[in-house]
Amino acid sequence: MNKWNSSNALWMLLYTILYIVGTFVVCVTGMIHPIFFVCYQITAGVVLTGILIRAFDRVKSPGAAVYLATGMIIMLFIIKDASTWHVAPLIVIAAATEIIRYIFKYNWNGNLLGAVIMSFSTFGYYGRIWFHRDFTYKVAAEEMPKNYADTLMSVSPVWALPVVLIVGIVLSVVVTNLTAKFFKMEKR
């Protein structure tokens, strides 16, 4: 088992930075077109899980998910975007990831499930589309180009949430396995 040491802590700092940059990329895609905002989980599955599985493979002991989430929360405070909608899901997701990885004794299956769970870290951004529609519409109308809010509401029917989640999960698993193959990671 790879334990925490100074080298692994520095690697985790690099993975945290990559995780933050990857999350930023995921969030910026929503500015391109509202459909990308609706599909954040799909984009996160593609962009984030490779970084996450590498981090979890690097540190096969408690704290890796908390380290990543803490870095993200600090960044949210720095950019003045730390709200309950953004921070609470990160805390829950990091805790769930730590529990899953512990149950699986930090093996491949636990790390894979942990990477998939952690890929949901942008849920606070896109979950409001379905759970707080009026607020989402108001913010989109104020901050985005003309007609963005109307298009966002039209491309996010209730049935889209489970579709986005399922596709995001499948892509997370695919990207995790491709990352493992590319970096010749052991699947045990």
Side-chain angles (χ1 to χ4, degrees), residues 23-31 33-48 119 122-127 129-130 148 164 168:
T23 300
F24 177 76
V25 168
V26 170
C27 294
V28 167
T29 62
M31 289 187 228
H33 189 275
I35 195 72
F36 290 110
F37 187 28
V38 173
C39 294
Y40 268 3
Q41 187 56 46
I42 295 169
T43 310
V46 172
V47 175
L48 298 178
S119 76
T122 58
F123 188 81
Y125 286 99
Y126 69 84
I129 298 170
W130 293 280
Y148 185 95
V164 167

Side-chain angles (χ1 to χ4, degrees), residues 38-111:
V38 173
C39 294
Y40 268 3
Q41 187 56 46
I42 295 169
T43 310
V46 172
V47 175
L48 298 178
T49 49
I51 298 164
L52 295 165
I53 195 66
R54 291 289 292 162
F56 295 154
D57 189 59
R58 170 63 61 179
V59 176
K60 295 179 181 173
S61 62
V66 170
Y67 193 108
L68 293 163
T70 301
M72 183 63 69
I73 291 168
I74 290 168
M75 181 54 63
L76 288 170
F77 276 102
I78 290 170
I79 65 172
K80 295 180 173 59
D81 204 16
S83 69
T84 304
W85 274 96
H86 299 149
V87 174
L90 273 167
I91 293 169
V92 171
I93 287 164
T97 300
E98 291 290 352
I99 291 166
I100 291 295
R101 292 182 72 229
Y102 174 80
I103 289 169
F104 281 89
K105 299 181 182 354
Y106 308 98
N107 68 14
W108 171 256
N109 292 329
N111 288 338

Side-chain angles (χ1 to χ4, degrees), residues 126-139:
Y126 69 84
R128 290 186 285 189
I129 298 170
W130 293 280
F131 299 113
H132 201 341
R133 287 184 78 76
D134 294 338
F135 175 80
T136 303
Y137 182 84
K138 179 181 173 251
V139 170

